[in-house]
Amino acid sequence: MNDCKAGPKGESAGSLEPVLGKRVYLLAKRLQDIALSALALVVLSPLLLLISLIIVLDDPHAGPIFSQIRCGKAGREFQFYKFRTMYADAEQRQEELFQYNEMEGPVFKIKKDPRITRVGGVLRRTSLDELPQLLNVLRGDMSLVGPRPPLPHEVEQYTAEQRRRLMVTPGLTCFWQIHPERYTLSFDRWVELDVQYIREQSWLLDWKIIVWTVRAMAQGNGE
C-alpha cells in the first residue's frame, strides 16, 4: 500500500508524538480497540445486515458498502469502509457541486448534499453509516477515537500545521465529529480540535468522547 503525499519532503510530524509515558496508554488503547470493535461487530451484526438490505432496496444500483482510500497515521494509505449513503454516481458528480462546498480548506462537504439517498440521510443523521469502520478499527487502520482520516488529495494540499492531524492513528470519532456545529467550523478550527486531542489524549478523554458520540447518535445530530 502506498503512502499519502503528506507534504514537502523533509518535514516531520514527530514533535507531538506521544512521550515514553504514554506508551502504556497507547498499548491499552489498542487492546481496547480490538476488544470493543470485535464485540460490537458481533453484537451489531443483525443491525448491520438489516441496514445493508435497506440500502440495496432503496437504491439497487450499487452495493451497501462504500470503500475509499484514506490516509492514516504518518500518511499511510488504507481502505476505508462505511455504509453507502449516496447514489452510485456520487463521486462523478462532485466536480459539478464543488462550487457549493460549505467547508474552508482542502475538504468538500455540503450540508444538504443532493447526492444523498433517502436512507442515506437517516444513516448520516444517526451516524450509523460509520459502523463498518469498526472493521478498520479491528484491523488497526483506525482507532475508536482519533482525528478523522482524510483523502489523499486533501493531504496533498495540507500545510505543515494541518499535517499534524496525521501524527496519530485516525479514529471513528473525535472532537469534530461530536461538535454540534461541525459543518460551520472552519477547517483550521477542525485542525485545532484534532491537535488538542493529540496533546491531551488519555483513557478518560477517549471514554468521554465515546459517551458523547453515543449521545449524539441517539439525538440524531449527524449530517
Side-chain angles (χ1 to χ4, degrees), residues 33-49:
D33 284 343
I34 293 172
L36 293 183
S37 61
L39 178 62
L41 285 168
V42 172
V43 172
L44 298 176
S45 57
L47 176 61
L48 299 177
L49 291 173

Side-chain angles (χ1 to χ4, degrees), residues 33-153:
D33 284 343
I34 293 172
L36 293 183
S37 61
L39 178 62
L41 285 168
V42 172
V43 172
L44 298 176
S45 57
L47 176 61
L48 299 177
L49 291 173
L50 178 61
I51 292 174
S52 298
L53 177 60
I54 293 174
I55 291 172
V56 173
L57 290 176
D58 183 54
D59 178 26
H61 297 97
I65 300 297
F66 173 76
S67 65
Q68 194 176 49
I69 297 297
R70 294 290 183 102
C71 295
K73 183 177 180 180
R76 185 182 67 84
E77 293 185 355
F78 67 94
Q79 199 75 29
F80 169 92
Y81 302 106
K82 67 184 299 182
F83 279 125
R84 181 170 62 87
T85 59
M86 293 186 175
Y87 292 104
D89 63 346
E91 290 195 298
Q92 289 71 33
R93 294 175 58 192
Q94 180 171 319
E95 186 174 346
E96 66 185 64
L97 296 171
F98 193 78
Q99 59 182 314
Y100 304 110
N101 186 17
E102 297 174 4
M103 291 290 292
E104 297 179 3
V107 182
F108 178 81
K109 289 187 183 295
I110 303 176
K111 191 171 183 179
K112 295 184 179 180
D113 198 318
R115 301 172 299 167
I116 298 175
T117 63
R118 293 173 298 176
V119 171
V122 176
L123 294 176
R124 288 193 171 208
R125 284 193 297 274
T126 57
S127 295
L128 291 173
D129 60 317
E130 311 287 2
L131 289 180
Q133 287 155 51
L134 289 167
L135 180 59
N136 288 122
V137 175
L138 184 61
R139 291 170 48 177
D141 302 321
M142 295 174 61
S143 179
L144 290 175
V145 182
R148 295 293 291 161
L151 292 161
H153 72 82

Side-chain angles (χ1 to χ4, degrees), residues 107-198:
V107 182
F108 178 81
K109 289 187 183 295
I110 303 176
K111 191 171 183 179
K112 295 184 179 180
D113 198 318
R115 301 172 299 167
I116 298 175
T117 63
R118 293 173 298 176
V119 171
V122 176
L123 294 176
R124 288 193 171 208
R125 284 193 297 274
T126 57
S127 295
L128 291 173
D129 60 317
E130 311 287 2
L131 289 180
Q133 287 155 51
L134 289 167
L135 180 59
N136 288 122
V137 175
L138 184 61
R139 291 170 48 177
D141 302 321
M142 295 174 61
S143 179
L144 290 175
V145 182
R148 295 293 291 161
L151 292 161
H153 72 82
E154 294 172 350
V155 173
E156 289 175 3
Q157 303 174 59
Y158 276 8
T159 64
E161 177 67 19
Q162 292 166 350
R163 288 181 59 237
R164 292 185 173 189
R165 303 181 71 241
L166 305 176
M167 293 177 182
V168 297
T169 303
L172 187 61
T173 187
C174 59
F175 280 133
W176 177 84
Q177 190 81 3
I178 58 177
H179 197 288
E181 299 176 350
R182 61 186 183 181
Y183 283 104
T184 63
L185 295 179
S186 68
F187 185 65
D188 286 340
R189 178 55 181 154
W190 185 350
V191 172
E192 288 175 4
L193 290 173
D194 286 338
V195 173
Q196 177 186 341
Y197 170 76
I198 292 170

Side-chain angles (χ1 to χ4, degrees), residues 6-17:
K9 185 177 180 180
E11 290 187 4
S12 173
S15 60
L16 289 182
E17 282 290 335

